[in-house]
Every structure is written in structure tokens, then in C-alpha cells.
């Protein structure tokens, strides 16, 4: 017997246009599988049938895509229904079959797609195949939100390079460690837990060898658990060190790399790293920043002051020589985490 879906009355706001409200539910489903799909994209799908809603999210690699899971939940109720998906359905055979063929076979009447898939194997072919089968297709509902959610996937598919997130924790006067190099803990427990969430969302975590020698970090996800309804990550992110470290360091086993940073990123990207979290130290952070390789900065600010110039700054080495050379970005989010403040920053749009 098919599963008969039901609508949760509080899930959709009456003030939101119906198509946008349905895509919001699909986005929520996409977020629920964020930790388990890499190197595939995290996608959500909602099918609006005559009797209610069916929802699907992407399964781990090699298993069903979001559309297939939603169709399985609907069974025969999918015939004549409206399918919403955050990413263009695939039209090729990889480790799984084409979602487009399953959508057509199910008798779906209309498909709403948030964004086209930048993967060269799809890239408009899925939408074209659906239209050729007589299915009404519209594109663009909640496109900005989906582009933001899938930013690491989009960059990786377009360039082959990872989406680089630089994480820094500092005092309000911009210092990350005391003159004696001690730095635990500048921020509180809530901020540290949030930083472990960043690790969980990343395919790899990178630090410089100097940080390993100074702090001997593990670089694992330990102090964070996903909320109810979020699929938990089943393995730790890959650990990458710039330079050589001892075999007894707690970061081991780790990948030790050297060479120009663009080559490091290209190598990691070719190995399926979609999101790279750079955690420092100051020399590594400065190198990525000055080379213009950071896509997203996450800065945790503690309500504390070292009160002098002898503490260690966020970036080592020389900075902008004049105000005309000042790097400027866009603050895209602020969040209070206990007593601390998280600032999300991106390079300014051109």
C-alpha cells in the first residue's frame, strides 16, 4: 500500500506564495541531508499531491536522490502532482538511474526547479527532457536561497576547486592568542560547538604545521550534535596539514601537503573536497586571505580585550599599506552564541 502523505498545518505560512512555500519545505529537506551527501549535492524535494505532501531528501552517495525518495513516498498519488526540487533533476546514469525518467514514468504534471544543475553532465538537460515529455517546468523559485545553500557544490562543479571557509576566533581587539601563545579558550562553549558544526559540514579541515606543533589539536567533530531531523555525519572530515608534523601528533592520520596554495586546492578538489575549512594559524590564514582564496569568513568575536599590541593578531605579516588598499567585504550574517558574536563575511561583490 502506498504511503498517504499528510500536511503539517504550521509548515506553510499563508503569507508566502504557494510555490515559494513549497520550495521552502524542499529547502528544509535539503538542509536535513547536508552532512551525508558529499560529494553529491544536498537536495530536497516536495511533491504536492491531491491528498497532501510527500517529501524526499538525498541519501548518501550511491543511494537514492531526493526526487526518487519523494516519489517512493507518494506511490500512485504522484500522477498529476506538482513536484518541487531545489536542484535540476539528473538525466544521466551514474551510481543511480536518471531522476528525470522516474519523474516522467510517475506521471508528474508540473515540476518547479529552484536552480539549474551546473554539473556538465546535467546543465539544462534534465529540464529539457522533462519539457520534451510534455511536463510543465518552471525555474527560479527560491533561486537565491538555493544558490546560497549549494554554494560549495556550485563552485566545485564549475571550477573543480573547493569552497574555502576561513574560521577565526578572536578578542574584540583582533587577537587570537596571548604573547605566550596560549589561546584556549578565547570563545565560550556555544561558539566552540558552532565551530564543530562547521567542521561537520566540511569535507576537509586544514591547518598549518605550526598550529599542530603549538596546540596539538585533533580537528575532529566532538562538541556538536545535529538537531532532531538532521541526518548525522557518519565519518570525520579529512584532516590536512600544510607542512610536516610528527607521526605522534593527535591530528594523525592526516594528509600532509606543501606547495603553492592554488595547487593544494586543485589537488583537494580533484579528490572530491567540496568544502574546505581553514582553521589557521595566523600565517596560514594570512596566506589564504592575501591570495584571495577565501570564499567565506566565519569570525567568532569574544567580549574580551588583550589591551595591547603584543598579543598575536588574526593575520601574521604585513597588511594593507594604506587605507586605499584596505580589503573590504560584505557582512552576510551575525549570530549571538552565548556571550560571543559570530560574523559571517564574504568578499565584496564586484
Amino acid at each position: 500500500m502506498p504511503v498517504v502523505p499528510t500536511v503539517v498545518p504550521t509548515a506553510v505560512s499563508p503569507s508566502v506564495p504557494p510555490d515559494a512555500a513549497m520550495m521552502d519545505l524542499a529547502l528544509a529537506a535539503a538542509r536535513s541531508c547536508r552532512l551525508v551527501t558529499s560529494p553529491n549535492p544536498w537536495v530536497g524535494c516536495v511533491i504536492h499531491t491531491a491528498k497532501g505532501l510527500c517529501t524526499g531528501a538525498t541519501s548518501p552517495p550511491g543511494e537514492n536522490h531526493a526526487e526518487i525518495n519523494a516519489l517512493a513516498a507518494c506511490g500512485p498519488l504522484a500522477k498529476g502532482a506538482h513536484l518541487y526540487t531545489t536542484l535540476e533533476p539528473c538525466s544521466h546514469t551514474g551510481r543511480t538511474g536518471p531522476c528525470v525518467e522516474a519523474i516522467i514514468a510517475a506521471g508528474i504534471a508540473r515540476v518547479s526547479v529552484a536552480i539549474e544543475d551546473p554539473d556538465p553532465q546535467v546543465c539544462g538537460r534534465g529540464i529539457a527532457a522533462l519539457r520534451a515529455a510534455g511536463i510543465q517546468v518552471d525555474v527560479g523559485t527560491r533561486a537565491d536561497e538555493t544558490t546560497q545553500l549549494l554554494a560549495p557544490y556550485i563552485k566545485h562543479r564549475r571550477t573543480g576547486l573547493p569552497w574555502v571557509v576561513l574560521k577565526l576566533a578572536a578578542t574584540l581587539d583582533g587577537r587570537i592568542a596571548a604573547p605566550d601563545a596560549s589561546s584556549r579558550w578565547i570563545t565560550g562553549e556555544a561558539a566552540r560547538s558552532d565551530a564543530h558544526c562547521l567542521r561537520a559540514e566540511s569535507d576537509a579541515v586544514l591547518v598549518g604545521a605550526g598550529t599542530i606543533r603549538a596546540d596539538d589539536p585533533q580537528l575532529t567533530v566532538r562538541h556538536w550534535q545535529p538537531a532532531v531531523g538532521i541526518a548525522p555525519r557518519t565519518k570525520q572530515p579529512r584532516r590536512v596539514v600544510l607542512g610536516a608534523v610528527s607521526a605522534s601528533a593527535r591530528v594523525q592520520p592526516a594528509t600532509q601537503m606543501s606547495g603553492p596554495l592554488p595547487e593544494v586546492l586543485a589537488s583537494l578538489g580533484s579528490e572530491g573536497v567540496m568544502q574546505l575549512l581553514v582553521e589557521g594559524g595566523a600565517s596560514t590564514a594570512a596566506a589564504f586571505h592575501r591570495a584571495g582564496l577565501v570564499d567565506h569568513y566565519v569570525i567568532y568575536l569574544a567580549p574580551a580585550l588583550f589591551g595591547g599590541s603584543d598579543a598575536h593578531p588574526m593575520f601574521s605579516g604585513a597588511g594593507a599599506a594604506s587605507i586605499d588598499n584596505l580589503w573590504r567585504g560584505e557582512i552576510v550574517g551575525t549570530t549571538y552564541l552565548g556571550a560571543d558574536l559570530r560574523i559571517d563575511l564574504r568578499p565584496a561583490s564586484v
Side-chain angles (χ1 to χ4, degrees):
M1 294 291 291
V3 176
V4 179
T6 57
V7 176
V8 179
T10 57
V12 178
S13 170
S15 64
V16 178
D19 283 352
M22 292 297 104
M23 197 64 80
D24 286 342
L25 294 178
L27 281 164
R31 295 185 187 98
S32 76
C33 65
R34 172 70 174 85
L35 305 181
V36 300
T37 66
S38 186
N40 293 333
W42 37 104
V43 177
C45 177
V46 169
I47 301 175
H48 191 186
T49 78
K51 294 188 177 180
L53 306 179
C54 304
T55 302
T58 305
S59 299
E63 300 179 24
N64 289 340
H65 291 183
E67 297 90 341
I68 303 301
N69 284 329
L71 289 169
C74 279
L77 294 178
K79 186 174 179 61
H82 187 164
L83 182 148
Y84 297 83
T85 182
T86 54
L87 187 68
E88 176 183 6
C90 66
S91 55
H92 66 286
T93 300
R95 283 183 285 187
T96 60
C99 291
V100 162
E101 291 184 5
I103 292 169
I104 295 170
I108 292 288
R110 180 183 171 195
V111 174
S112 292
V113 176
I115 63 172
E116 291 187 6
D117 192 335
D119 191 311
Q121 297 183 92
V122 186
C123 202
R125 293 182 180 89
I127 291 170
L130 291 171
R131 286 173 173 161
I135 297 174
Q136 179 185 345
V137 181
D138 53 82
V139 182
T141 301
R142 292 295 195 235
D144 290 346
E145 293 84 348
T146 304
T147 299
Q148 177 84 3
L149 180 65
L150 285 174
Y153 170 77
I154 293 170
K155 181 187 178 184
H156 185 265
R157 289 303 189 270
R158 286 178 174 169
T159 69
L161 300 174
W163 177 263
V164 177
V165 179
L166 175 60
K167 186 220 84 176
L168 298 163
T171 58
L172 286 178
D173 49 355
R175 303 291 164 163
I176 63 172
D180 65 359
S182 60
S183 60
R184 296 183 180 177
W185 297 99
I186 286 177
T187 55
E189 184 177 346
R192 297 198 299 274
S193 176
D194 190 74
H196 278 236
C197 175
L198 279 178
R199 287 182 184 174
E201 291 176 346
S202 302
D203 299 294
V205 179
L206 181 148
V207 298
T211 295
I212 300 299
R213 289 190 286 270
D215 297 337
D216 197 21
Q218 296 181 58
L219 301 183
T220 57
V221 180
R222 307 181 306 282
H223 302 306
W224 174 80
Q225 290 294 327
V228 175
I230 304 296
R233 188 182 180 106
T234 57
K235 61 181 180 180
Q236 294 288 342
R238 181 176 173 184
R239 293 174 284 187
V240 180
V241 179
L242 287 182
V245 294
S246 167
S248 62
R250 293 199 302 169
V251 75
Q252 299 286 12
T255 301
Q256 299 175 66
M257 306 183 74
S258 60
L261 292 183
E263 293 181 10
V264 169
L265 292 180
S267 177
L268 292 173
S270 70
E271 295 165 3
V273 174
M274 280 199 293
Q275 179 165 304
L276 175 68
L277 178 63
V278 178
E279 292 207 25
S283 295
T284 298
F288 273 90
H289 172 71
R290 292 189 186 117
L293 298 175
V294 180
D295 298 295
H296 191 109
Y297 297 76
V298 177
I299 302 173
Y300 298 97
L301 292 179
L305 300 167
F306 275 110
S309 60
D310 52 347
H312 295 269
M314 288 191 279
F315 301 108
S316 65
S322 103
I323 195 68
D324 293 332
N325 303 121
L326 191 66
W327 183 94
R328 294 186 184 276
E330 296 178 272
I331 294 176
V332 296
T334 58
T335 309
Y336 280 105
L337 299 165
D340 303 316
L341 177 65
R342 169 176 164 163
I343 298 177
D344 286 78
L345 179 70
R346 290 199 179 168
S349 299
V350 178

